[in-house]
Amino acid sequence: MSENRTRSGVPLKTFYEATDLPRPGAPQSPPGEYPFTRGRLGSGQKAAAWIQRELSGEGDPAHSNAQLHYLIAKGQTGIDVIGDSPTQAQMDPDHPLAVHAVGTQGVSLCCKADYLELFHGLPLDGISISSSVPSLFGMTGLYLAAQAAGVAPERVRGSVLQVPLYSEDCGYPTYLPCELRARLSADVMEFCAAAMPRFHSYVEDTYFFSESGLTAVEEMALGFVEIRFLARELLRRGVPIDRFAPRIAILVNCSMDFYEEVAKLRATRRLYARMMKEEFGAQDARSLSVNLTSHTSGLTLTAEQPANNIVRGAIQALALAMGGAQAIEISAFDEAYRTPSPESHLVGLRTQQILELESGVSRVADPFGGSYFMEALTSELERRIEAMVREIEAEGDPVHLADSGWFKGFFHRAMERHAREIREGAARVVGHNVHQIPEEEDLLLRDVSERKIRPWSERVERIRSFKAGRGRERLHSALSGVLEAARARTGNLVPPVLAAVEADATMGEITGTLRTAYGFPYDPHRMVQPPTMEGAP
Amino acid sequence: MVLGLLGMDSHENGAIAVASLLRDAGVEVIYLGRYQTPDTLLRAAVQEDVDVIGVSCHSWEYLEYLPALMERIPAEAPDVAVVAGGSVITPADAARLTALGVAAVFGSGAAPEHMVATVRRLAAARREALELPPAAPPGPPAPTPT
């Protein structure tokens, strides 16, 4: 970040005055009113309350269940679960490439019994259950767990993430073609619009792809490109905009450029409202006011002097609270070098509680509203985001751009740019490229980094014996159902997938079956065979 | 050199940054990307006749895979140096890796010029031992090792 520009490159003056207001003298709508710049909620509702949670999950489902109960007991008001790397890549824990990664960076989940165990004893109709595991399985797993617990799925609140265009480039690749990923995202949205009306079936996760080092403008532009793409697909299917738009949310990143991050939330709400109203014809106020949830940036954290990361998390969470985020997760202070420890989860949660209960920040909505500077910056970001959306859309069909590697190139250039800015000192990172200390002095909170989570080999064994003990006929017929429905290229895939999960098919098996239906190898690593082929040469 | 990530480790930012750093310094880097195993790293190293294998570590899987790789080096690629880097490698792990024969370990605070100089030094040592011509084309002198 240079002295006189934001991280996105917006030039800054040393101070702002009335003439800098985008529309001097024009009245602004209050929070809760179109275009929702100042916030989603109106008067009569709590000014700036947010759901407080920490992204969690490690080991097997039972271990993660205990972790969730622990966090709720400590005051967490929502849940967000992330899978281990095999789960995120839609691979079962017994896959040969997965075994050293089972349970170390998140929870290992692959079948119906896992979700029942993960959510056991949790108030599934009282708390918002967000899931950062692959959306098709996070949603079906929660659906079945709710049914098993006697809670009607219509009553369940929570969310799943959808990033069909970018998931292969930034996250854990699933080797599903973009066409199929997009179909599945739209299928989940269409299914939930009817079956889980309180559930956010579409959280646009701009967080994870912006961690490649994107600016705030790039982050939101790509997010809008994806939202618009999926909205058009749902409309093409004949789902009315006001049936699904209220269930769209955006999980935004929050980096260290404080004012720009506040302005980003404000600009995003306004642009979203305008787009939904003017372009898509939405009328329901809930379709126009997007729910912004957030995660503070892991990329801004340093392995050096980890205690400094607590300060970074607090500053970013403050920006999110002042920008009007509906839910906040703080990246754990030890995230640069390990899967979050219980200590760092607790510090993240306590940071939020201090912000809410001690700082008074939540007493007033949109405290920056009317500020010469903030209003100018909000309008400038809105203008730049919208312009970039048009530029990207002019490049062509997003599915084609994804398959041809256009987005991948975009992310790679951002990664290189980010690394160069830090290497050359254009971006200053305390403890890393300025104000460093020798390693032997860097001891505060260092001890947690030496405590490791070992791969859960017993989990691998358990899934192997679970697979061997299943009723084969029911399993094969359920997987055939998925195969045929996927091959048909039309029709919603959620019901056959739900039936397969019910029949104890695993995520790896269902994913492999979907790949096969689209002409791709069952296992991209060519190490495992479909259950229907087991024993075949 | 070849450079890759082991197992399910998908945190590519560091690896891409180091690859571009080394390339800018004139090192020929074959970027293998994600989903490597000791097997694929060794195969690529032998096929491409590289001087150095680089492993980027942002998942604890390296604790299982690197010892397996080092065990196979003497028989399959005895003259190739292995270097590892990444923020998850703690000082205690770094000492263990060095004891296994890993030629250099870079933490997240490693100076860019130090990484470039180390890779060049290891490559030059191998090429001299095997009486091969120098790897890098003549260019500006390598920065002094720190």
Side-chain angles (χ1 to χ4, degrees), chain A residues 105 336-337, chain B residues 3-6 9-11 14-15 54-63 65-66 83-90 97 102 105-108:
Chain A
Q105 289 185 332
Y337 49 80
Chain B
L3 178 61
L5 288 74
L6 285 164
D9 186 356
S10 282
H11 296 79
V55 182
S56 170
C57 308
H58 291 87
S59 135
W60 287 320
E61 288 161 272
Y62 78 94
L63 294 168
Y65 283 120
L66 268 185
V83 300
S87 64
V88 294
I89 305 176
T90 65
L97 294 179
V102 174
V105 180
F106 306 119
S108 74

PDB file of all heavy atoms in Angstrom, chain A residues 105 336-337, chain B residues 3-6 9-11 14-15 54-63 65-66 83-90 97 102 105-108:
ATOM      1  N   GLN A 105      -6.141 -30.517   8.814  1.00  0.00           N
ATOM      2  CA  GLN A 105      -6.428 -29.099   8.533  1.00  0.00           C
ATOM      3  C   GLN A 105      -7.920 -28.804   8.581  1.00  0.00           C
ATOM      4  O   GLN A 105      -8.364 -27.771   8.104  1.00  0.00           O
ATOM      5  CB  GLN A 105      -5.868 -28.710   7.162  1.00  0.00           C
ATOM      6  CG  GLN A 105      -4.342 -28.647   7.171  1.00  0.00           C
ATOM      7  CD  GLN A 105      -3.760 -28.142   5.858  1.00  0.00           C
ATOM      8  OE1 GLN A 105      -4.353 -28.300   4.808  1.00  0.00           O
ATOM      9  NE2 GLN A 105      -2.582 -27.554   5.937  1.00  0.00           N
ATOM     10  N   ALA A 336      -0.742 -18.861  10.367  1.00  0.00           N
ATOM     11  CA  ALA A 336       0.367 -18.820   9.406  1.00  0.00           C
ATOM     12  C   ALA A 336       1.209 -20.086   9.481  1.00  0.00           C
ATOM     13  O   ALA A 336       1.865 -20.450   8.517  1.00  0.00           O
ATOM     14  CB  ALA A 336       1.236 -17.592   9.657  1.00  0.00           C
ATOM     15  N   TYR A 337       1.198 -20.749  10.638  1.00  0.00           N
ATOM     16  CA  TYR A 337       2.064 -21.923  10.731  1.00  0.00           C
ATOM     17  C   TYR A 337       1.383 -23.192  11.225  1.00  0.00           C
ATOM     18  O   TYR A 337       2.011 -24.228  11.348  1.00  0.00           O
ATOM     19  CB  TYR A 337       3.324 -21.629  11.562  1.00  0.00           C
ATOM     20  CG  TYR A 337       3.064 -20.964  12.898  1.00  0.00           C
ATOM     21  CD1 TYR A 337       2.663 -21.698  13.994  1.00  0.00           C
ATOM     22  CD2 TYR A 337       3.241 -19.596  13.031  1.00  0.00           C
ATOM     23  CE1 TYR A 337       2.431 -21.084  15.212  1.00  0.00           C
ATOM     24  CE2 TYR A 337       3.013 -18.977  14.244  1.00  0.00           C
ATOM     25  CZ  TYR A 337       2.613 -19.725  15.327  1.00  0.00           C
ATOM     26  OH  TYR A 337       2.379 -19.113  16.531  1.00  0.00           O
TER      27      TYR A 337
ATOM     28  N   LEU B   3      10.102 -27.874  -8.589  1.00  0.00           N
ATOM     29  CA  LEU B   3       9.495 -27.329  -7.385  1.00  0.00           C
ATOM     30  C   LEU B   3       8.043 -27.807  -7.315  1.00  0.00           C
ATOM     31  O   LEU B   3       7.310 -27.727  -8.305  1.00  0.00           O
ATOM     32  CB  LEU B   3       9.543 -25.786  -7.449  1.00  0.00           C
ATOM     33  CG  LEU B   3       8.916 -24.999  -6.305  1.00  0.00           C
ATOM     34  CD1 LEU B   3       9.601 -25.317  -4.983  1.00  0.00           C
ATOM     35  CD2 LEU B   3       9.012 -23.507  -6.593  1.00  0.00           C
ATOM     36  N   GLY B   4       7.648 -28.336  -6.156  1.00  0.00           N
ATOM     37  CA  GLY B   4       6.279 -28.821  -6.046  1.00  0.00           C
ATOM     38  C   GLY B   4       5.786 -28.834  -4.613  1.00  0.00           C
ATOM     39  O   GLY B   4       6.516 -28.509  -3.671  1.00  0.00           O
ATOM     40  N   LEU B   5       4.511 -29.203  -4.480  1.00  0.00           N
ATOM     41  CA  LEU B   5       3.869 -29.332  -3.170  1.00  0.00           C
ATOM     42  C   LEU B   5       3.503 -30.804  -2.975  1.00  0.00           C
ATOM     43  O   LEU B   5       3.147 -31.485  -3.935  1.00  0.00           O
ATOM     44  CB  LEU B   5       2.583 -28.505  -3.104  1.00  0.00           C
ATOM     45  CG  LEU B   5       2.686 -26.978  -3.043  1.00  0.00           C
ATOM     46  CD1 LEU B   5       3.073 -26.384  -4.389  1.00  0.00           C
ATOM     47  CD2 LEU B   5       1.356 -26.374  -2.589  1.00  0.00           C
ATOM     48  N   LEU B   6       3.547 -31.262  -1.737  1.00  0.00           N
ATOM     49  CA  LEU B   6       3.348 -32.691  -1.466  1.00  0.00           C
ATOM     50  C   LEU B   6       1.923 -33.025  -1.026  1.00  0.00           C
ATOM     51  O   LEU B   6       1.305 -32.276  -0.262  1.00  0.00           O
ATOM     52  CB  LEU B   6       4.307 -33.137  -0.375  1.00  0.00           C
ATOM     53  CG  LEU B   6       5.774 -33.299  -0.813  1.00  0.00           C
ATOM     54  CD1 LEU B   6       6.687 -33.349   0.401  1.00  0.00           C
ATOM     55  CD2 LEU B   6       5.956 -34.537  -1.682  1.00  0.00           C
ATOM     56  N   ASP B   9      -1.502 -30.768  -0.014  1.00  0.00           N
ATOM     57  CA  ASP B   9      -1.162 -29.374   0.285  1.00  0.00           C
ATOM     58  C   ASP B   9      -1.514 -28.496  -0.913  1.00  0.00           C
ATOM     59  O   ASP B   9      -0.987 -28.685  -2.000  1.00  0.00           O
ATOM     60  CB  ASP B   9       0.331 -29.282   0.604  1.00  0.00           C
ATOM     61  CG  ASP B   9       0.750 -27.901   1.065  1.00  0.00           C
ATOM     62  OD1 ASP B   9      -0.095 -26.991   1.060  1.00  0.00           O
ATOM     63  OD2 ASP B   9       1.927 -27.742   1.437  1.00  0.00           O
ATOM     64  N   SER B  10      -2.420 -27.551  -0.700  1.00  0.00           N
ATOM     65  CA  SER B  10      -2.877 -26.730  -1.827  1.00  0.00           C
ATOM     66  C   SER B  10      -2.554 -25.256  -1.651  1.00  0.00           C
ATOM     67  O   SER B  10      -3.042 -24.427  -2.395  1.00  0.00           O
ATOM     68  CB  SER B  10      -4.386 -26.894  -2.022  1.00  0.00           C
ATOM     69  OG  SER B  10      -4.638 -28.109  -2.684  1.00  0.00           O
ATOM     70  N   HIS B  11      -1.747 -24.925  -0.672  1.00  0.00           N
ATOM     71  CA  HIS B  11      -1.411 -23.519  -0.442  1.00  0.00           C
ATOM     72  C   HIS B  11      -0.266 -23.129  -1.369  1.00  0.00           C
ATOM     73  O   HIS B  11       0.900 -23.249  -1.022  1.00  0.00           O
ATOM     74  CB  HIS B  11      -1.026 -23.295   1.020  1.00  0.00           C
ATOM     75  CG  HIS B  11      -2.161 -23.567   1.960  1.00  0.00           C
ATOM     76  ND1 HIS B  11      -2.526 -24.840   2.327  1.00  0.00           N
ATOM     77  CD2 HIS B  11      -3.026 -22.733   2.578  1.00  0.00           C
ATOM     78  CE1 HIS B  11      -3.567 -24.767   3.157  1.00  0.00           C
ATOM     79  NE2 HIS B  11      -3.892 -23.506   3.315  1.00  0.00           N
ATOM     80  N   GLY B  14       3.045 -19.461  -1.728  1.00  0.00           N
ATOM     81  CA  GLY B  14       4.475 -19.433  -1.441  1.00  0.00           C
ATOM     82  C   GLY B  14       5.276 -20.042  -2.574  1.00  0.00           C
ATOM     83  O   GLY B  14       6.291 -19.485  -3.020  1.00  0.00           O
ATOM     84  N   ALA B  15       4.817 -21.180  -3.070  1.00  0.00           N
ATOM     85  CA  ALA B  15       5.550 -21.884  -4.122  1.00  0.00           C
ATOM     86  C   ALA B  15       5.620 -21.040  -5.391  1.00  0.00           C
ATOM     87  O   ALA B  15       6.669 -20.942  -6.039  1.00  0.00           O
ATOM     88  CB  ALA B  15       4.878 -23.222  -4.414  1.00  0.00           C
ATOM     89  N   GLY B  54      12.899 -28.831  -5.002  1.00  0.00           N
ATOM     90  CA  GLY B  54      12.356 -27.902  -4.011  1.00  0.00           C
ATOM     91  C   GLY B  54      10.968 -28.334  -3.584  1.00  0.00           C
ATOM     92  O   GLY B  54      10.153 -28.712  -4.417  1.00  0.00           O
ATOM     93  N   VAL B  55      10.728 -28.302  -2.290  1.00  0.00           N
ATOM     94  CA  VAL B  55       9.420 -28.695  -1.771  1.00  0.00           C
ATOM     95  C   VAL B  55       8.854 -27.535  -0.961  1.00  0.00           C
ATOM     96  O   VAL B  55       9.507 -27.029  -0.044  1.00  0.00           O
ATOM     97  CB  VAL B  55       9.537 -29.945  -0.865  1.00  0.00           C
ATOM     98  CG1 VAL B  55       8.154 -30.365  -0.391  1.00  0.00           C
ATOM     99  CG2 VAL B  55      10.209 -31.078  -1.603  1.00  0.00           C
ATOM    100  N   SER B  56       7.640 -27.109  -1.317  1.00  0.00           N
ATOM    101  CA  SER B  56       6.972 -26.049  -0.573  1.00  0.00           C
ATOM    102  C   SER B  56       6.036 -26.698   0.439  1.00  0.00           C
ATOM    103  O   SER B  56       5.243 -27.562   0.089  1.00  0.00           O
ATOM    104  CB  SER B  56       6.185 -25.174  -1.551  1.00  0.00           C
ATOM    105  OG  SER B  56       5.350 -24.295  -0.830  1.00  0.00           O
ATOM    106  N   CYS B  57       6.130 -26.291   1.704  1.00  0.00           N
ATOM    107  CA  CYS B  57       5.394 -26.982   2.774  1.00  0.00           C
ATOM    108  C   CYS B  57       4.453 -26.026   3.505  1.00  0.00           C
ATOM    109  O   CYS B  57       4.908 -25.157   4.242  1.00  0.00           O
ATOM    110  CB  CYS B  57       6.367 -27.564   3.792  1.00  0.00           C
ATOM    111  SG  CYS B  57       7.661 -28.578   3.059  1.00  0.00           S
ATOM    112  N   HIS B  58       3.156 -26.195   3.286  1.00  0.00           N
ATOM    113  CA  HIS B  58       2.182 -25.440   4.069  1.00  0.00           C
ATOM    114  C   HIS B  58       1.120 -26.371   4.620  1.00  0.00           C
ATOM    115  O   HIS B  58      -0.042 -26.007   4.792  1.00  0.00           O
ATOM    116  CB  HIS B  58       1.592 -24.303   3.235  1.00  0.00           C
ATOM    117  CG  HIS B  58       2.612 -23.241   2.962  1.00  0.00           C
ATOM    118  ND1 HIS B  58       3.464 -23.300   1.895  1.00  0.00           N
ATOM    119  CD2 HIS B  58       2.968 -22.139   3.666  1.00  0.00           C
ATOM    120  CE1 HIS B  58       4.289 -22.258   1.935  1.00  0.00           C
ATOM    121  NE2 HIS B  58       4.012 -21.548   2.992  1.00  0.00           N
ATOM    122  N   SER B  59       1.501 -27.613   4.815  1.00  0.00           N
ATOM    123  CA  SER B  59       0.632 -28.606   5.429  1.00  0.00           C
ATOM    124  C   SER B  59       1.593 -29.568   6.125  1.00  0.00           C
ATOM    125  O   SER B  59       2.736 -29.719   5.699  1.00  0.00           O
ATOM    126  CB  SER B  59      -0.174 -29.313   4.340  1.00  0.00           C
ATOM    127  OG  SER B  59      -0.193 -30.708   4.546  1.00  0.00           O
ATOM    128  N   TRP B  60       1.108 -30.193   7.180  1.00  0.00           N
ATOM    129  CA  TRP B  60       2.000 -31.071   7.942  1.00  0.00           C
ATOM    130  C   TRP B  60       2.345 -32.367   7.218  1.00  0.00           C
ATOM    131  O   TRP B  60       3.090 -33.186   7.734  1.00  0.00           O
ATOM    132  CB  TRP B  60       1.381 -31.371   9.303  1.00  0.00           C
ATOM    133  CG  TRP B  60       1.425 -30.206  10.236  1.00  0.00           C
ATOM    134  CD1 TRP B  60       2.455 -29.328  10.384  1.00  0.00           C
ATOM    135  CD2 TRP B  60       0.417 -29.785  11.157  1.00  0.00           C
ATOM    136  NE1 TRP B  60       2.156 -28.389  11.327  1.00  0.00           N
ATOM    137  CE2 TRP B  60       0.913 -28.638  11.826  1.00  0.00           C
ATOM    138  CE3 TRP B  60      -0.849 -30.270  11.490  1.00  0.00           C
ATOM    139  CZ2 TRP B  60       0.179 -27.965  12.809  1.00  0.00           C
ATOM    140  CZ3 TRP B  60      -1.570 -29.600  12.469  1.00  0.00           C
ATOM    141  CH2 TRP B  60      -1.068 -28.470  13.113  1.00  0.00           C
ATOM    142  N   GLU B  61       1.803 -32.544   6.039  1.00  0.00           N
ATOM    143  CA  GLU B  61       2.113 -33.779   5.308  1.00  0.00           C
ATOM    144  C   GLU B  61       3.604 -33.949   5.042  1.00  0.00           C
ATOM    145  O   GLU B  61       4.086 -35.064   4.884  1.00  0.00           O
ATOM    146  CB  GLU B  61       1.343 -33.801   3.980  1.00  0.00           C
ATOM    147  CG  GLU B  61      -0.139 -34.026   4.172  1.00  0.00           C
ATOM    148  CD  GLU B  61      -0.927 -33.594   2.951  1.00  0.00           C
ATOM    149  OE1 GLU B  61      -1.308 -32.407   2.875  1.00  0.00           O
ATOM    150  OE2 GLU B  61      -1.150 -34.435   2.081  1.00  0.00           O
ATOM    151  N   TYR B  62       4.328 -32.836   4.978  1.00  0.00           N
ATOM    152  CA  TYR B  62       5.774 -32.961   4.707  1.00  0.00           C
ATOM    153  C   TYR B  62       6.473 -33.775   5.795  1.00  0.00           C
ATOM    154  O   TYR B  62       7.499 -34.389   5.558  1.00  0.00           O
ATOM    155  CB  TYR B  62       6.422 -31.583   4.546  1.00  0.00           C
ATOM    156  CG  TYR B  62       6.683 -30.859   5.840  1.00  0.00           C
ATOM    157  CD1 TYR B  62       7.920 -30.960   6.472  1.00  0.00           C
ATOM    158  CD2 TYR B  62       5.701 -30.092   6.450  1.00  0.00           C
ATOM    159  CE1 TYR B  62       8.160 -30.306   7.669  1.00  0.00           C
ATOM    160  CE2 TYR B  62       5.925 -29.440   7.634  1.00  0.00           C
ATOM    161  CZ  TYR B  62       7.159 -29.550   8.247  1.00  0.00           C
ATOM    162  OH  TYR B  62       7.389 -28.915   9.430  1.00  0.00           O
ATOM    163  N   LEU B  63       5.880 -33.802   6.997  1.00  0.00           N
ATOM    164  CA  LEU B  63       6.490 -34.577   8.088  1.00  0.00           C
ATOM    165  C   LEU B  63       6.495 -36.069   7.768  1.00  0.00           C
ATOM    166  O   LEU B  63       7.317 -36.831   8.278  1.00  0.00           O
ATOM    167  CB  LEU B  63       5.729 -34.333   9.395  1.00  0.00           C
ATOM    168  CG  LEU B  63       5.824 -32.908   9.960  1.00  0.00           C
ATOM    169  CD1 LEU B  63       4.818 -32.697  11.074  1.00  0.00           C
ATOM    170  CD2 LEU B  63       7.247 -32.621  10.436  1.00  0.00           C
ATOM    171  N   TYR B  65       6.057 -37.153   4.272  1.00  0.00           N
ATOM    172  CA  TYR B  65       6.591 -37.357   2.922  1.00  0.00           C
ATOM    173  C   TYR B  65       8.098 -37.063   2.813  1.00  0.00           C
ATOM    174  O   TYR B  65       8.804 -37.734   2.068  1.00  0.00           O
ATOM    175  CB  TYR B  65       5.855 -36.468   1.924  1.00  0.00           C
ATOM    176  CG  TYR B  65       4.476 -36.971   1.528  1.00  0.00           C
ATOM    177  CD1 TYR B  65       3.344 -36.210   1.758  1.00  0.00           C
ATOM    178  CD2 TYR B  65       4.328 -38.208   0.896  1.00  0.00           C
ATOM    179  CE1 TYR B  65       2.081 -36.662   1.374  1.00  0.00           C
ATOM    180  CE2 TYR B  65       3.072 -38.662   0.510  1.00  0.00           C
ATOM    181  CZ  TYR B  65       1.959 -37.893   0.752  1.00  0.00           C
ATOM    182  OH  TYR B  65       0.715 -38.332   0.372  1.00  0.00           O
ATOM    183  N   LEU B  66       8.591 -36.046   3.509  1.00  0.00           N
ATOM    184  CA  LEU B  66      10.003 -35.694   3.326  1.00  0.00           C
ATOM    185  C   LEU B  66      10.955 -36.788   3.805  1.00  0.00           C
ATOM    186  O   LEU B  66      11.918 -37.111   3.108  1.00  0.00           O
ATOM    187  CB  LEU B  66      10.329 -34.344   3.973  1.00  0.00           C
ATOM    188  CG  LEU B  66      10.201 -33.131   3.040  1.00  0.00           C
ATOM    189  CD1 LEU B  66      10.658 -31.861   3.754  1.00  0.00           C
ATOM    190  CD2 LEU B  66      11.000 -33.303   1.755  1.00  0.00           C
ATOM    191  N   VAL B  83      15.725 -29.085  -1.121  1.00  0.00           N
ATOM    192  CA  VAL B  83      15.505 -27.936  -0.245  1.00  0.00           C
ATOM    193  C   VAL B  83      14.008 -27.850   0.069  1.00  0.00           C
ATOM    194  O   VAL B  83      13.178 -28.263  -0.728  1.00  0.00           O
ATOM    195  CB  VAL B  83      15.980 -26.606  -0.875  1.00  0.00           C
ATOM    196  CG1 VAL B  83      17.460 -26.645  -1.175  1.00  0.00           C
ATOM    197  CG2 VAL B  83      15.193 -26.256  -2.126  1.00  0.00           C
ATOM    198  N   ALA B  84      13.702 -27.356   1.270  1.00  0.00           N
ATOM    199  CA  ALA B  84      12.300 -27.249   1.674  1.00  0.00           C
ATOM    200  C   ALA B  84      12.057 -25.865   2.241  1.00  0.00           C
ATOM    201  O   ALA B  84      12.958 -25.254   2.826  1.00  0.00           O
ATOM    202  CB  ALA B  84      11.977 -28.311   2.729  1.00  0.00           C
ATOM    203  N   GLY B  85      10.838 -25.360   2.048  1.00  0.00           N
ATOM    204  CA  GLY B  85      10.513 -24.048   2.600  1.00  0.00           C
ATOM    205  C   GLY B  85       9.048 -23.957   2.937  1.00  0.00           C
ATOM    206  O   GLY B  85       8.227 -24.695   2.396  1.00  0.00           O
ATOM    207  N   GLY B  86       8.726 -23.055   3.863  1.00  0.00           N
ATOM    208  CA  GLY B  86       7.314 -22.855   4.196  1.00  0.00           C
ATOM    209  C   GLY B  86       7.148 -22.437   5.640  1.00  0.00           C
ATOM    210  O   GLY B  86       7.977 -22.773   6.492  1.00  0.00           O
ATOM    211  N   SER B  87       6.056 -21.719   5.907  1.00  0.00           N
ATOM    212  CA  SER B  87       5.882 -21.167   7.246  1.00  0.00           C
ATOM    213  C   SER B  87       5.536 -22.231   8.278  1.00  0.00           C
ATOM    214  O   SER B  87       5.699 -22.003   9.464  1.00  0.00           O
ATOM    215  CB  SER B  87       4.795 -20.090   7.222  1.00  0.00           C
ATOM    216  OG  SER B  87       3.553 -20.663   6.875  1.00  0.00           O
ATOM    217  N   VAL B  88       5.038 -23.408   7.845  1.00  0.00           N
ATOM    218  CA  VAL B  88       4.695 -24.417   8.860  1.00  0.00           C
ATOM    219  C   VAL B  88       5.933 -25.099   9.440  1.00  0.00           C
ATOM    220  O   VAL B  88       5.842 -25.801  10.436  1.00  0.00           O
ATOM    221  CB  VAL B  88       3.737 -25.522   8.333  1.00  0.00           C
ATOM    222  CG1 VAL B  88       2.380 -24.952   8.000  1.00  0.00           C
ATOM    223  CG2 VAL B  88       4.318 -26.266   7.158  1.00  0.00           C
ATOM    224  N   ILE B  89       7.082 -24.915   8.780  1.00  0.00           N
ATOM    225  CA  ILE B  89       8.299 -25.572   9.272  1.00  0.00           C
ATOM    226  C   ILE B  89       8.836 -24.782  10.470  1.00  0.00           C
ATOM    227  O   ILE B  89       9.286 -23.655  10.335  1.00  0.00           O
ATOM    228  CB  ILE B  89       9.373 -25.648   8.163  1.00  0.00           C
ATOM    229  CG1 ILE B  89       8.795 -26.340   6.922  1.00  0.00           C
ATOM    230  CG2 ILE B  89      10.602 -26.377   8.673  1.00  0.00           C
ATOM    231  CD1 ILE B  89       9.747 -26.376   5.743  1.00  0.00           C
ATOM    232  N   THR B  90       8.744 -25.382  11.626  1.00  0.00           N
ATOM    233  CA  THR B  90       9.193 -24.710  12.844  1.00  0.00           C
ATOM    234  C   THR B  90      10.698 -24.929  13.013  1.00  0.00           C
ATOM    235  O   THR B  90      11.275 -25.799  12.349  1.00  0.00           O
ATOM    236  CB  THR B  90       8.471 -25.283  14.070  1.00  0.00           C
ATOM    237  OG1 THR B  90       8.876 -26.657  14.209  1.00  0.00           O
ATOM    238  CG2 THR B  90       6.961 -25.225  13.905  1.00  0.00           C
ATOM    239  N   LEU B  97      14.842 -31.925   9.738  1.00  0.00           N
ATOM    240  CA  LEU B  97      15.001 -32.080   8.293  1.00  0.00           C
ATOM    241  C   LEU B  97      16.477 -32.030   7.906  1.00  0.00           C
ATOM    242  O   LEU B  97      16.937 -32.805   7.070  1.00  0.00           O
ATOM    243  CB  LEU B  97      14.225 -30.988   7.544  1.00  0.00           C
ATOM    244  CG  LEU B  97      12.703 -31.027   7.669  1.00  0.00           C
ATOM    245  CD1 LEU B  97      12.075 -29.881   6.890  1.00  0.00           C
ATOM    246  CD2 LEU B  97      12.137 -32.360   7.177  1.00  0.00           C
ATOM    247  N   VAL B 102      18.315 -32.928   4.303  1.00  0.00           N
ATOM    248  CA  VAL B 102      17.775 -31.819   3.509  1.00  0.00           C
ATOM    249  C   VAL B 102      18.833 -30.712   3.498  1.00  0.00           C
ATOM    250  O   VAL B 102      19.348 -30.321   4.548  1.00  0.00           O
ATOM    251  CB  VAL B 102      16.436 -31.320   4.103  1.00  0.00           C
ATOM    252  CG1 VAL B 102      15.945 -30.074   3.380  1.00  0.00           C
ATOM    253  CG2 VAL B 102      15.390 -32.430   4.026  1.00  0.00           C
ATOM    254  N   VAL B 105      16.747 -25.365   4.532  1.00  0.00           N
ATOM    255  CA  VAL B 105      15.362 -25.171   4.951  1.00  0.00           C
ATOM    256  C   VAL B 105      15.117 -23.668   5.075  1.00  0.00           C
ATOM    257  O   VAL B 105      15.880 -22.964   5.735  1.00  0.00           O
ATOM    258  CB  VAL B 105      15.088 -25.859   6.314  1.00  0.00           C
ATOM    259  CG1 VAL B 105      13.635 -25.644   6.724  1.00  0.00           C
ATOM    260  CG2 VAL B 105      15.403 -27.344   6.245  1.00  0.00           C
ATOM    261  N   PHE B 106      14.058 -23.186   4.392  1.00  0.00           N
ATOM    262  CA  PHE B 106      13.744 -21.753   4.417  1.00  0.00           C
ATOM    263  C   PHE B 106      12.449 -21.521   5.173  1.00  0.00           C
ATOM    264  O   PHE B 106      11.399 -22.033   4.789  1.00  0.00           O
ATOM    265  CB  PHE B 106      13.579 -21.212   2.994  1.00  0.00           C
ATOM    266  CG  PHE B 106      14.755 -21.490   2.097  1.00  0.00           C
ATOM    267  CD1 PHE B 106      14.595 -22.256   0.949  1.00  0.00           C
ATOM    268  CD2 PHE B 106      16.013 -20.987   2.398  1.00  0.00           C
ATOM    269  CE1 PHE B 106      15.673 -22.516   0.109  1.00  0.00           C
ATOM    270  CE2 PHE B 106      17.097 -21.238   1.565  1.00  0.00           C
ATOM    271  CZ  PHE B 106      16.929 -22.009   0.416  1.00  0.00           C
ATOM    272  N   GLY B 107      12.510 -20.734   6.227  1.00  0.00           N
ATOM    273  CA  GLY B 107      11.294 -20.315   6.920  1.00  0.00           C
ATOM    274  C   GLY B 107      10.656 -19.169   6.153  1.00  0.00           C
ATOM    275  O   GLY B 107      11.197 -18.705   5.146  1.00  0.00           O
ATOM    276  N   SER B 108       9.523 -18.693   6.660  1.00  0.00           N
ATOM    277  CA  SER B 108       8.814 -17.650   5.906  1.00  0.00           C
ATOM    278  C   SER B 108       9.597 -16.342   5.911  1.00  0.00           C
ATOM    279  O   SER B 108       9.380 -15.492   5.067  1.00  0.00           O
ATOM    280  CB  SER B 108       7.425 -17.425   6.484  1.00  0.00           C
ATOM    281  OG  SER B 108       7.539 -16.732   7.704  1.00  0.00           O
TER     282      SER B 108
END
